[in-house]
Amino acid sequence: MNEPVRLSKRMSELGICSRREADEWIERGWVMVDGKVISQLGSKILPDQKITVRKQASLEQSKKVTILINKPVGYVSGQAENGYKPAVSLINETTHWKNDPSKEKFRPSQLRSLVPAGRLDIDSVGLLVLTQDGRIARQLIGENSTTDKEYLVRVKYLKPGRLPDSDLRLLRHGLKLDGKPLLPAKVHWQNDDQLRFVLHEGKKRQIRRMCEAVGLKVIGLKRIRIGQVRLGDLPPGQWRYLGADEKF
């Protein structure tokens, strides 16, 4: 516990900012350790040393936006691929939800460094988070993230009869993907052909692969919640800002 660690890593661990932001602030002379400015990248400190940042850093961080979008089918979460457009291409003044309670005004500069904090595959719809804030990205997709995500999944059973209770229990806990056990999940029937999933992880196409493992075909998949933030009435293809009072 008393081994020196990189200053940028320690700042990220404490939730002050992302590592990339920490490096930028260090280079600008905005970071102090025990009252002394540290401007050398790669500097190491002891875990019990006190880190403070100048007001310029806090001011710059407060300008960063986080955007919630109701992603439609046919858009990829991240960079354009195979001819499909990225979800960020939907963000402009005309697609800004008219009922957004935020007082924030859209500026094209908000699109810079706006990255998805988690995936939602091309055939899935619902809540996607795009953020400029490294702290939020780390909270949602970092190694130690515990933020749960809720989905409504329309399915078709490919075998005679109905999905056995034993397979429903297997969806909740006991399946493996890529040779690794999955974390326990909450899975319940919403109605005859729709399941509700609550996951604490987000492996690639996880729900679709889980369903395939027990003979279910996914017909439609919609993410409706990430942590305490819900999709709500946000229309497909439109977006809003994460409110100042909203926390994941």
Side-chain angles (χ1 to χ4, degrees):
M1 287 296 291
N2 291 320
E3 289 294 316
V5 295
R6 284 178 69 104
L7 175 56
S8 57
K9 181 184 180 194
R10 184 60 178 154
M11 290 172 69
S12 175
E13 289 173 347
L14 293 171
I16 296 171
C17 60
S18 69
R19 284 200 197 187
R20 185 175 65 179
E21 287 170 328
D23 284 338
E24 290 175 3
W25 295 358
I26 291 167
E27 282 190 307
R28 294 184 182 187
W30 291 352
V31 181
M32 292 170 287
V33 175
D34 293 339
K36 180 183 176 182
V37 173
I38 304 294
S39 57
Q40 181 67 45
L41 288 179
S43 296
K44 292 187 175 183
I45 67 167
L46 294 173
D48 60 353
Q49 289 187 275
K50 184 179 180 181
I51 300 170
T52 53
V53 298
R54 295 194 185 277
K55 287 183 179 178
Q56 297 98 310
S58 300
L59 182 62
E60 185 169 285
Q61 199 170 54
S62 70
K63 295 177 182 176
K64 296 182 183 296
V65 298
T66 295
I67 284 174
L68 313 175
I69 187 167
N70 187 346
K71 188 189 87 66
V73 167
Y75 287 82
V76 292
S77 299
Q79 295 182 339
E81 56 183 79
N82 301 325
Y84 293 106
K85 292 181 178 181
V88 70
S89 67
L90 287 166
I91 299 173
N92 56 61
E93 202 161 359
T94 59
T95 53
H96 187 189
W97 187 34
K98 65 179 182 180
N99 293 329
D100 187 350
S102 173
K103 298 290 192 292
E104 188 77 47
K105 300 295 182 183
F106 176 72
R107 302 183 305 278
S109 62
Q110 293 169 348
L111 299 176
R112 289 201 297 267
S113 304
L114 192 66
V115 297
R119 292 188 296 260
L120 195 58
D121 69 56
I122 193 168
D123 299 314
S124 300
V125 303
L127 183 58
L128 180 67
V129 177
L130 300 162
T131 186
Q132 293 177 319
D133 193 331
R135 296 170 302 171
I136 287 178
R138 184 173 182 271
Q139 182 185 5
L140 299 188
I141 59 176
E143 281 182 18
N144 301 316
S145 174
T146 58
T147 307
D148 63 350
K149 302 170 183 69
E150 183 176 352
Y151 304 80
L152 294 178
V153 186
R154 198 164 297 282
V155 294
K156 180 181 179 181
Y157 193 43
L158 300 178
K159 300 175 184 179
R162 184 175 169 84
L163 182 75
D165 288 343
S166 58
D167 282 347
L168 183 63
R169 289 194 293 271
L170 198 58
L171 285 173
R172 292 170 179 159
H173 194 211
L175 290 176
K176 292 183 178 181
L177 288 184
D178 304 321
K180 294 183 179 180
L182 294 174
L183 296 175
K186 295 178 182 178
V187 186
H188 301 281
W189 286 106
Q190 287 289 104
N191 50 50
D192 289 343
D193 66 347
Q194 191 174 64
L195 288 164
R196 182 177 70 91
F197 278 74
V198 179
L199 304 182
H200 285 86
E201 58 190 333
K203 297 185 183 298
K204 190 173 183 179
R205 297 180 75 84
Q206 178 173 337
I207 291 177
R208 295 178 188 275
R209 294 165 70 192
M210 289 172 70
C211 288
E212 285 172 9
V214 296
L216 290 171
K217 180 180 180 180
V218 172
I219 307 300
L221 190 154
K222 182 178 185 179
R223 184 157 63 201
I224 60 171
R225 180 177 63 82
I226 298 176
Q228 296 178 39
V229 176
R230 294 187 171 274
L231 179 65
D233 297 327
L234 184 62
Q238 295 187 28
W239 62 274
R240 70 175 180 87
Y241 293 102
L242 180 74
D245 58 340
E246 286 184 293
K247 304 293 181 187
F248 288 101

